Structures are given as C-alpha cells and as structure tokens.
RNA sequence: GGGUUGGUAGCUCAGCGGUAGAGCAGCGGCCUUUUAAGCCGUUGGUCCAGGGUUCGAUCCCCUGCCAACCCA
C-alpha cells in the first residue's frame, strides 16, 4: 500500500482540486439529491417506464471517461448500477464544460439532464448541468484488469468492491442470507437477543480464547468462543425460543475455512430436541437458498465458468449415524477391534492422528479427514460419541453416543445441533470430566442456572460464513468476510 | 510450524548476467454519438531488503521481510 503523498498521480489530482477551488468550486461542498439510481435510470429507460426526454438527476462515481473533444461520455456508477452521461460543450457552455478537464476517474459527480438513446443504442443522460460531489485524490485500480492481488483486495476491500462487481455481489448476497435467516426464525416465534462478548469464562466449546483486560475491574476477560451458555441461561429465564447471530473469536490458525473471528448463529427451542432441530435447519437452509439463490441446486464454478461442484439441497436430507459412516469407511469391525488396531488402521487409511491421545479422537480423525470432505449434499450425521459433545443428552438406545447431529454440506461442518443436557448433576459431571484438573474453566454460574431448572430443549448452531461459502460458491472464508484478519502493517 | 509459488510503473503483467518493457491509467494535442473509443506525442521505476558470486546482478546464490495457496 502506498501512503506516501509523493506520488505523481496524487499530485496531479491535488493540482486539479486546487484548480477547481480557484474557480470557486469546492468539490466537497456540494449537496445533490439524485431522484433515480444510475442503473435504475438505465434499466427503466430500457423497459420503457422512463420515456425519451424524461428529466433525471443522477449521481455516482465516474468509472469511465471518453473524451471526444467538444463532447464527452462518462459512465457513472452507484449502488444500482451504471449509466452513461453525455456532456456537450454547446449545451453546458465553455465555463462549465471546462470543469470536466479537472475531473478524474474515481470522482463523484451529480448530473441533471434528460434521457435519450445514443446512435449506438446506449441509454444515456444528456447533461444540462452537473456538480462535482467528491474529488478522489488517489487513482482507482484499473477498471479493465481489475484488482487481482489478494492482499490489496482484502486489506483495501473498498477497492475490491469498487471495481470487482462479482465481489460486491457476494457481499450483498451475504446480507440477504442473514436477513432471510432472521425473518425465518422470527416467523417461527424466535426472538433475537444479544449476550456478552466479553466473558469471565469462555465456555460452550473447546477452543483457545482471546484474552483482554478490564482496567476498572482489574481482571481479565475472554472474548467468547460460543454463544451457547448464555442462551441457555435465557431458556432458564423463560425465553423459550431465542437466537443470536454474533461474532465468535477463536485464537487458532487462519486457513481457507478459519478466520479468528467468525459469525455464528445459535438458536434454542424449549420442548424441542435434536430432531426438531433437524427440521429447523433443513427448512431454514432451504428457505434461505430459495430466497437468495433462487434454487435448491447450488452450483460452484471455477474461473472459467465450469461447474466444479453441485450441491442438491432438495429435502429430505440424508440422515445417518456417525458410527455407521465410520464403519462404511473404516471397516465394519471398527468399533469391535482393540484400540491399538484402530490406531494402526487409521494410519493406514491416511488419517492424521499424531495429536490424538484418546481412542475417540482417533475415530474422529478418521471422520474429519476421510468422511466429512465427501459429504457434499446435505447430510445429518447423528449420534456422535458422547466424549465429543459434553453439552448434549445421552442417547437412550446407545448411551455411548449423544442425541446430536452435525449437518455437513459442501464437505464442511455447517450446523451442529443437540438435544440439550438439562440435568444439572449430569452436566456438572461431564464438564468436570472434560476440564480435567483445570477447575477454573467450568462456568459455575451456568451450572447454578441449570440447577434452577432448564426446560428440555433442542439447540443448534450454524457457521454463517461457511453457509455463505456453500450458498455463494466461494472456496475461501476470506471471500465471504469483508475484512478478513490479516497481519497488521 | 513445514512445503510451493510469488514480490518489476498507479493497475494488470512481460522480461533478462550487459544501464528497464507492454497494455491500460496519467500528461499534451486532434476529434460533438463514444462505450476496453480512436489517432499523434509523452511523463513515470529503490525491479521487496541486505549480503555474496561476477568486470558487471532486477536476473544466479544465501539470508531476511511480506503475501497467496497447500499441509500440520
């Protein structure tokens, strides 16, 4: 990034700014109220709802400039799209026409005029007057080749959005996805809440937290790693259907699938269970896909436009038990053989078990490495081993497993859900077991809340960023987060 | 943390052991229906940094920094 103001292009623009001011024009002072969007004016002229000669006032950023001498064409762009405006010397007069000499790509202008069609058939605004609304002192990235360098795209996302329309489209779609989720949950009687981001104990998941310090209280806080334990407190309080869409923070690596801060949806429904949540997740994702993508068939394409992956969201979604999937992939005797044999076989299969100390972790490594990436169409993987999930209820028909599912789509975990544990004594035991010696990690206040009585409930979480990747065909989480985490410059 | 690739003009990229190139943008000129406008002319560089090899390094070697991707 070039921040030194010694650049010649910047100097030239500053000189133009000074020239405008010398003429009594302050390019930042003018207010201008457009009465129609740029793209809107163009499309409405095309469909006939805006007639030849109709007066319009449009404003936008100059994205192209074709100087014909005594007339000029400029493309201006706003949120609705772009439109061509046509400035003629004999209409504007020498003085105003001359102002265009001090205009650059990237500047904002507002123009009044009338709609007409050029000889080439382009809907255009014949400019009768215009004002400079903002002078850009730095040049925009090239319009034709765009902006390709990933670092600049992420670090200066505004430039990426300015010139890469497909990128802007992804983020508008993301906004619509979150909006569709909200309206879906609200239509089912859920209320949206906000719970603390700074927590004395970061619970609800196994992840390394970020630490911060509160000066006045003289103590450290953690940025939350999940929303779960506070939303359950609200179930205790009588909010039977709650959800929160919020940022979680995990102090771990950065990858194609991981950003240190990411957006999570969690929803809890009293008197529901994990099967209730299956219906909820399936209906919600289908609702969002129909609303935003307009189809239950999601196509991912490469740079050449070739379809590289197709995801079929048509319900009902496949439901399969965790152990069943593992047996299919790793051998029908997987759970019968000795622990050492499992380890050996996991290595032969190519799973990475170097970090694994417990038996269930070996199985989980097989699942993560060899099974999860193959689950492209939506799959509810149910009945996970109880060791994996300490906040769920044991399954009555197989008490080595819990009443949960992990919804996998696009080869990624997208939504876990449980029949929530509401037995305070069993919950305390599970958490203490998990915490091992480190007693401080247990959220005692949460357990007190459970002791006051939590209704039976189903709960679900959903990684919004990964959902967006799946629905919008993006292969990196950085392409669905406006400002992904980067090393500070 | 490991591997791979890369860092050259505002943007996108070539190039190469012999004093740095293109397109676009910019600047000057011509042009009143262009749309990646066109035509003529032209400015612009710490070739990421440091060290080494060499008569000579943007290029080869080493180290470092930064980034992207993959793996952990």
């Amino acid at each position: 990034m070039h921040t030194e103001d010694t650049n010649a292009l910047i100097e030239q623009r500053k000189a133009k700014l000074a020239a405008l001011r010398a003429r009594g024009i302050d390019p930042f002072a003018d207010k201008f109220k457009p009465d129609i969007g740029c793209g809107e004016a163009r499309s409405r002229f095309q469909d006939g709802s805006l007639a030849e000669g109709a007066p319009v006032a449009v404003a936008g950023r100059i994205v192209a400039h074709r100087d014909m001498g005594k007339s000029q064409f400029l493309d201006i762009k706003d949120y609705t799209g772009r439109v061509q405006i046509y400035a003629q010397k004999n209409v504007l007069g020498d003085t105003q026409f001359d102002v265009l000499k001090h205009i650059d790509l990237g500047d904002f202008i507002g123009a009044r005029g009338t709609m007409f069609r050029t000889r080439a058939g382009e809907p255009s605004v014949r400019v009768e007057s215009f004002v400079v609304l903002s002078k850009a002192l730095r040049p925009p990235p090239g319009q034709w080749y765009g902006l390709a360098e990933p670092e600049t795209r992420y670090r200066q996302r505004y430039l990426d959005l300015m010139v890469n329309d497909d990128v802007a489209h992804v983020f508008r779609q993301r906004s619509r996805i979150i909006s569709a989720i909200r309206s879906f949950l609200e239509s089912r009687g859920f209320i949206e809440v906000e719970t603390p981001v700074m927590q004395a104990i970061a619970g609800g998941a196994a992840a390394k937290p970020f630490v911060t310090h509160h000066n006045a209280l003289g103590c450290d806080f953690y940025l939350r790693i999940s929303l779960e334990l506070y939303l359950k407190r609200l179930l205790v309080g009588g909010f039977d259907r709650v959800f929160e869409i919020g940022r979680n923070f995990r102090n771990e690596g950065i990858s194609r699938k991981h950003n240190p801060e990411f957006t999570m949806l969690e929803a809890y429904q009293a008197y529901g269970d994990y099967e209730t949540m299956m219906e909820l997740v399936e209906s919600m994702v289908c609702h969002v896909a129909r609303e935003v993508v307009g189809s239950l068939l999601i196509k991912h394409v490469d740079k050449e436009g070739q379809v590289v992956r197709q995801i079929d969201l048509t319900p009902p979604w496949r439901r399969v038990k965790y152990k069943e999937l593992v047996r299919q992939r790793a051998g029908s005797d997987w759970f019968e053989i000795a622990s050492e044999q499992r380890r050996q076989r996991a290595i032969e299969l190519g799973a990475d078990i170097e970090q694994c100390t417990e038996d269930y972790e070996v199985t989980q490594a097989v699942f993560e490495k060899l099974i999860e990436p193959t689950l492209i169409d939506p799959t509810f993987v149910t009945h996970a081993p109880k060791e994996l999930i300490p906040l769920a209820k044991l399954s009555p028909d197989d008490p080595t497993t819990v009443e949960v599912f992990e919804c996998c789509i696009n080869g990624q975990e997208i939504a876990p859900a449980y029949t929530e544990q509401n037995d305070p004594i069993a919950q305390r035991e599970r958490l203490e077991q998990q915490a091992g010696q480190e007693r401080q990690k247990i959220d005692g206040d949460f357990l007190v809340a459970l002791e006051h009585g939590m209704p039976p409930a189903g709960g679900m979480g959903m990684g919004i960023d990964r959902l967006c990747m799946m629905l919008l065909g993006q292969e990196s989480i950085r392409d669905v987060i406006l400002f992904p985490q980067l090393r500070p410059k």
Side-chain angles (χ1 to χ4, degrees):
Chain A
M1 182 162 35
H2 301 265
T3 48
E4 314 78 35
D5 284 0
T6 51
N7 186 289
L9 295 175
I10 294 174
E11 288 309 313
Q12 284 169 348
R13 284 170 179 250
K14 283 184 176 169
K16 288 177 177 177
L17 172 62
L20 287 171
R21 286 198 162 128
R23 292 159 176 260
I25 296 169
D26 181 349
F28 301 106
D30 265 309
K31 290 181 183 171
F32 183 90
K33 296 281 175 275
D35 57 20
I36 191 168
C38 294
E40 195 188 353
R42 187 179 188 283
S43 60
R44 284 190 54 197
F45 187 73
Q46 288 285 47
D47 71 24
S49 65
L50 206 57
E52 177 92 23
V56 291
V58 291
R61 187 190 292 276
I62 298 170
V63 295
H65 183 195
R66 294 176 290 280
D67 185 353
M68 308 291 297
K70 295 190 179 63
S71 73
Q72 300 189 13
F73 294 92
L74 299 99
D75 292 347
I76 64 173
K77 181 179 175 184
D78 68 5
Y79 188 72
T80 66
R82 59 170 72 189
V83 70
Q84 174 172 269
I85 67 173
Y86 182 48
Q88 295 165 105
K89 194 167 188 172
N90 62 347
V91 173
L92 292 170
D94 291 359
T95 309
Q96 223 198 350
F97 191 78
D98 218 40
V99 171
L100 290 173
K101 283 213 158 53
H102 305 105
I103 292 299
D104 290 299
L105 294 184
D107 296 353
F108 285 85
I109 66 168
R112 291 176 199 284
T114 56
M115 295 303 300
F116 79 110
R117 191 180 294 278
T118 66
R119 197 156 39 188
E122 180 68 27
S124 306
V125 178
R126 192 186 306 278
V127 179
E128 286 159 5
S129 67
F130 70 90
V131 289
V132 186
L133 299 175
S134 184
K135 181 91 193 127
L137 297 183
R138 291 172 186 269
Q143 293 285 331
W144 181 243
Y145 292 103
L147 181 66
E149 192 195 354
E151 187 182 0
T152 309
R153 286 189 47 227
Y154 298 141
R155 229 177 256 289
Q156 293 178 276
R157 180 70 90 178
Y158 47 91
L159 297 177
D160 192 26
L161 295 168
M162 202 184 288
V163 299
N164 294 327
D165 286 343
D166 52 340
V167 172
H169 181 69
V170 165
F171 288 104
R172 292 186 197 199
Q173 294 286 71
R174 179 181 170 122
S175 168
R176 292 181 62 202
I177 286 169
I178 292 169
S179 172
I181 289 171
R182 275 210 170 87
S183 60
F184 177 87
L185 288 170
E186 283 165 359
S187 76
R188 290 201 171 196
F190 285 81
I191 62 165
E192 182 170 9
V193 296
E194 293 168 278
T195 64
V197 171
M198 292 197 301
Q199 303 179 349
I201 295 159
K208 286 187 192 124
F210 287 92
V211 191
T212 186
H213 185 78
H214 192 287
N215 290 337
L217 293 176
C219 64
D220 285 345
F221 279 92
Y222 299 96
L223 300 186
R224 67 183 172 193
I225 58 173
S226 92
L227 315 175
E228 180 153 357
L229 301 188
Y230 279 90
L231 293 177
K232 284 181 172 171
R233 285 170 168 88
L234 297 175
L235 287 176
V236 172
F239 281 11
D240 282 350
R241 294 188 180 199
V242 290
F243 77 97
E244 177 167 8
I245 295 172
R247 210 67 68 82
N248 282 346
F249 305 83
R250 297 187 180 175
N251 204 342
E252 293 163 0
I254 296 177
S255 79
R256 191 172 68 83
K257 295 182 186 180
H258 298 88
N259 195 60
E261 52 181 300
F262 61 98
T263 302
M264 192 78 177
L265 160 71
E266 288 194 27
Y268 292 84
Q269 179 171 342
Y271 316 111
D273 60 12
Y274 81 110
E275 292 190 309
T276 315
M277 292 297 110
M278 265 193 244
E279 190 281 328
L280 183 81
V281 167
E282 188 177 293
S283 298
M284 183 168 72
V285 171
C286 289
H287 169 79
V288 171
R290 285 195 196 96
E291 287 283 308
V292 178
V293 185
S295 170
L296 294 182
L297 216 53
I298 309 298
K299 290 177 180 170
H300 288 203
V301 299
D302 62 15
K303 281 172 190 164
E304 282 75 42
Q306 299 289 317
V307 176
V308 293
R309 193 176 309 134
Q310 190 160 297
I311 301 162
D312 187 355
L313 299 177
T314 308
W317 292 355
R318 179 185 181 202
R319 301 178 182 198
V320 58
K321 289 185 177 173
Y322 180 91
K323 286 185 175 176
E324 178 57 27
L325 279 176
V326 172
R327 284 196 195 94
Q328 281 172 17
R329 184 66 180 83
S332 55
D333 58 349
W334 178 267
F335 293 100
E336 279 76 54
I337 59 181
S339 165
E340 266 315 303
Q341 287 176 281
R342 264 194 290 276
R343 216 164 232 287
Q344 187 55 40
R345 194 183 291 174
I347 293 167
E348 286 163 15
L349 288 168
D352 189 10
I353 59 163
E354 277 175 29
Q355 311 287 327
C356 301
T357 53
E358 303 292 327
D359 203 22
Y360 73 91
E361 291 177 321
V362 173
T363 304
Q364 177 62 7
V366 169
F367 178 81
E368 284 178 359
K369 181 74 183 278
L370 302 166
I371 300 173
E372 185 184 306
T374 68
L375 303 175
I376 302 300
D377 285 345
T379 305
F380 290 114
V381 181
T382 67
H383 298 85
K386 66 176 199 259
E387 294 84 359
L388 282 175
I389 299 158
L391 296 164
K393 267 190 189 167
L394 294 181
S395 184
D397 45 328
D398 180 357
T400 69
T401 67
V402 278
E403 282 204 345
V404 303
F405 67 76
E406 180 64 70
C407 180
C408 295
I409 314 180
N410 194 25
Q412 292 186 32
E413 296 176 355
I414 280 197
Y418 324 145
T419 301
E420 303 295 344
Q421 178 59 273
N422 64 342
D423 174 341
I425 295 166
Q427 180 67 92
R428 182 181 292 274
E429 282 170 3
R430 294 302 313 286
L431 288 180
E432 285 177 352
Q433 216 171 24
Q434 192 192 42
Q437 301 301 321
E438 302 172 73
R439 284 294 172 88
Q440 296 149 302
K441 275 187 173 174
I442 293 179
D443 189 340
D445 181 68
F446 166 66
L447 289 170
V448 168
L450 280 194
E451 286 166 7
H452 281 283
M454 185 181 100
M460 59 83 63
M462 183 174 285
I464 297 298
D465 309 291
R466 289 181 179 183
L467 178 75
C468 289
M469 289 167 67
M470 187 275 288
L471 288 172
L472 303 177
Q474 299 300 311
E475 302 305 321
S476 169
I477 199 167
R478 292 182 152 187
D479 291 321
V480 297
I481 292 175
L482 278 167
F483 299 100
Q485 204 64 54
L486 300 171
R487 186 188 302 276
K489 276 233 162 170

